[in-house]
Amino acid sequence: MKRALVSVSDKTGLVEFVKGLVDCGYEIISTGGTKKALEEAGLNPIGISDVTGFPEIMDGRVKTLHPKVHGALLCVRDNPEHVKQLQELGIEYIDLVCVNLYPFKETVQKKGVTHEEIIENIDIGGPSMLRSASKNYKSITVVCDPKDYDKVLKEIQENGDTCPVTREFLAAKVFRHTARYDAMIADYLTKKTGEEFPESLTITFDKVQDLRYGENPHQKAAFYKGMNPQYSLANATQLHGKELSYNNIQDGNAAIEILKDFEGQCAAVGLKHMNPCGVGIGENIEAAWDKAYEADPVSIFGGIVALNDTVEKGLAEKLSKIFLEIIIAPDFTPEALEILTRKKNIRLMKLDTTLSVNTSLKYTNVNDGLLVQEMDMYQIKEEDLRCVTNRKPTPEEIKQLLFGWKVVKHVKSNAIVLVKDDMTIGVGAGQMNRVGSAKIAIEEAGEKAKGSVMASDAFFPMPDTVEEAIKAGVTAIIQPGGSIRDQDSIDVCNEHGIAMVYTGIRHFKH
């Protein structure tokens, strides 16, 4: 008679699976709460203590860590010496292991949870059994995910056992499962000790979905989420439209990152290819959108819109008049949904973009490596600004300068943004020299550039960018300062009565 060892925290589908094994002639060994659940279902499993001849001790901390368990799991069955030792010690084979682990992730995320409770939810015996059995997958079937119950049971019912390919597939899944589990524990304890950049970094992500393709149709891709995806598209609810693409997710993420800097204000972001094409703030979300749209009504075509307040009927009517890929908002009224869902393909994503979330680390992969840094969450206030010109900025100019500084932070370097009346009017992104970005922003702004302010993500190495701003009618500039030729730009500003302030901090975005 074949034997199965069953010990699970997640009891989804358990009884049906075990009944199926029993019907196929399996003897069931079980532990603790799993044994009780099976008994309540009318099954009669053997207790683990009856197998080991040793009681469960230390509140169940030690029950399966025993040679009669791990000997049965690790015995190489075509090795005569292994088989002989097993027989001499009275150890019987275990042919199937069904184990999933203590809910560590769920415990960590519980409100008010204590450190002691978290530690008690670090599973020791479960990962040990899974790893032992998976190492011996040529002989043993190992199941750690209830989603695999049907597949395993079907093969056993049809063939008397699982096939080698299935056992290898399940073993690989087990090692991913235990690696993920250990990574979560390591992450929790590492953060608790305050270690930001440990000597080794193990992070884990769970698949959200396979994607049709990556940046281009010839590239395969998938979307994964981290342990705590609150302010993330991974946590959004899609209310309508086609499946998100790789580029949609990239752009959507960039858009909601911009909204983070406008907490407490009604803000709208229009975005294309990872750069904002229009950002506006207003007394309500519809007014904010009007400004974001007016900023660049050409580039927003086929773009992403992110909002930090509910979309109502009036705004929905405006949004429905242009072609958009995605609209992200905290909510949509029924009337707004009725209007927007008339468009078959538009993706409507419900996500609380008002969340105040401070993501601590940013990961960027390079060939065979990973760059890790703190997120750029630095905020500038009016009192942080240092005026370096003879003319001081007016209160209205300061307001616009601070707005421009929030936006330019999210534009690919070299970045120049022109701002006027609580909206962007020109964005120059990703150029190899700063004056090139300035010319693009100024050309986009056109006549609106007169009376606007300029934000630059880094200092001016020479006065040519300032000279272009003056010709366009810019009245005030915000930049980090710090160039060895800062005085040249200051002199040009003074000559033309332009106000310029330094932040003392840059916002490179590569």
Side-chain angles (χ1 to χ4, degrees), residues 231 254-270 276 278-282 285 288 292 306-309 353-357 377-379 399-411 417 419 422-424:
Y231 197 75
I256 64 174
E257 282 294 309
I258 297 171
L259 284 181
K260 271 186 186 178
D261 283 323
F262 291 95
E263 189 176 345
Q265 297 174 289
C266 286
V269 175
V279 181
I281 55 175
I285 197 63
L307 310 157
N308 61 4
D309 204 353
T353 49
T354 66
L355 281 173
S356 180
V357 178
M377 303 296 292
Y378 200 96
Q379 296 276 357
K399 178 186 175 186
Q400 300 305 315
L401 289 168
L402 290 171
F403 173 73
W405 187 249
K406 287 180 178 180
V407 176
V408 80
K409 164 185 172 180
H410 297 279
V411 179
V417 172
V419 167
D422 296 335
M423 59 184 279
T424 58

Side-chain angles (χ1 to χ4, degrees), residues 4 6 16-26 28 96 153 156:
V6 183
E16 294 80 3
F17 179 57
V18 173
K19 281 183 176 178
L21 293 176
V22 171
D23 290 342
C24 290
Y26 275 75
I28 308 299
L96 184 146
L153 198 55
I156 292 173

Side-chain angles (χ1 to χ4, degrees), residues 68-87:
K68 285 200 173 181
V69 174
H70 288 275
L73 298 178
L74 288 166
C75 172
V76 178
R77 299 186 186 185
D78 57 6
N79 182 324
E81 285 300 315
H82 282 204
V83 174
K84 180 182 176 184
Q85 288 179 38
L86 217 65
Q87 291 170 345

Side-chain angles (χ1 to χ4, degrees), residues 12-47:
T12 304
L14 173 69
V15 171
E16 294 80 3
F17 179 57
V18 173
K19 281 183 176 178
L21 293 176
V22 171
D23 290 342
C24 290
Y26 275 75
E27 185 175 59
I28 308 299
I29 305 165
S30 194
T31 66
T34 304
K35 181 173 181 288
K36 183 179 178 183
L38 294 176
E39 288 171 339
E40 289 173 352
L43 296 164
N44 189 30
I46 300 168

Side-chain angles (χ1 to χ4, degrees), residues 194-425:
E195 180 68 65
E196 283 189 293
F197 302 106
E199 75 290 342
S200 64
L201 184 65
T202 306
I203 54 179
T204 184
F205 295 86
D206 296 329
K207 186 189 282 188
V208 176
Q209 66 191 84
D210 289 307
L211 301 174
R212 285 177 296 155
Y213 53 81
E215 282 182 296
N216 300 289
H218 60 273
Q219 295 171 269
K220 293 180 180 178
F223 182 29
Y224 291 80
K225 65 180 177 182
M227 278 186 62
N228 193 26
Q230 288 182 307
Y231 197 75
S232 164
L233 285 182
N235 201 39
T237 301
Q238 185 163 351
L239 303 177
H240 179 73
K242 295 190 299 185
E243 181 181 284
L244 291 175
S245 72
Y246 181 98
N247 292 330
N248 289 156
I249 294 167
Q250 286 267 60
D251 285 341
N253 183 71
I256 64 174
E257 282 294 309
I258 297 171
L259 284 181
K260 271 186 186 178
D261 283 323
F262 291 95
E263 189 176 345
Q265 297 174 289
C266 286
V269 175
L271 186 135
K272 286 279 288 289
H273 303 299
M274 302 287 285
N275 282 301
C277 54
V279 181
I281 55 175
E283 60 184 14
N284 56 55
I285 197 63
E286 187 172 345
W289 163 249
D290 289 342
K291 291 181 178 180
Y293 175 72
E294 186 185 342
D296 189 347
V298 175
S299 295
I300 191 56
F301 181 85
I304 310 292
V305 172
L307 310 157
N308 61 4
D309 204 353
T310 298
V311 178
E312 297 184 346
K313 180 181 177 181
L315 177 53
E317 288 173 340
K318 292 178 179 179
L319 292 168
S320 69
K321 291 177 182 177
I322 56 177
F323 169 58
L324 297 171
E325 289 279 357
I326 308 176
I327 302 173
I328 306 167
D331 208 351
F332 299 79
T333 65
E335 295 84 1
L337 277 175
E338 195 279 326
I339 292 166
L340 292 169
T341 53
R342 292 172 193 166
K343 292 198 166 189
K344 180 180 178 181
N345 294 327
I346 190 170
R347 301 157 176 93
L348 304 179
M349 309 298 295
K350 181 178 176 180
L351 176 70
D352 189 355
T353 49
T354 66
L355 281 173
S356 180
V357 178
N358 207 358
T359 306
S360 58
L361 295 176
K362 179 179 177 65
Y363 304 99
T364 304
N365 71 300
V366 294
N367 287 344
D368 198 30
L370 189 71
L371 290 170
V372 183
Q373 66 170 345
E374 292 180 333
M375 292 287 286
D376 185 1
M377 303 296 292
Y378 200 96
Q379 296 276 357
I380 287 288
K381 299 176 183 176
E382 181 177 346
E383 54 266 32
D384 299 319
L385 302 177
R386 180 168 69 93
C387 184
V388 294
T389 52
N390 295 334
R391 185 173 83 77
K392 310 299 180 188
T394 66
E396 178 60 23
E397 284 174 331
I398 288 174
K399 178 186 175 186
Q400 300 305 315
L401 289 168
L402 290 171
F403 173 73
W405 187 249
K406 287 180 178 180
V407 176
V408 80
K409 164 185 172 180
H410 297 279
V411 179
K412 290 281 187 180
S413 301
N414 290 307
I416 295 290
V417 172
L418 298 186
V419 167
K420 188 178 183 180
D421 299 328
D422 296 335
M423 59 184 279
T424 58
I425 57 170

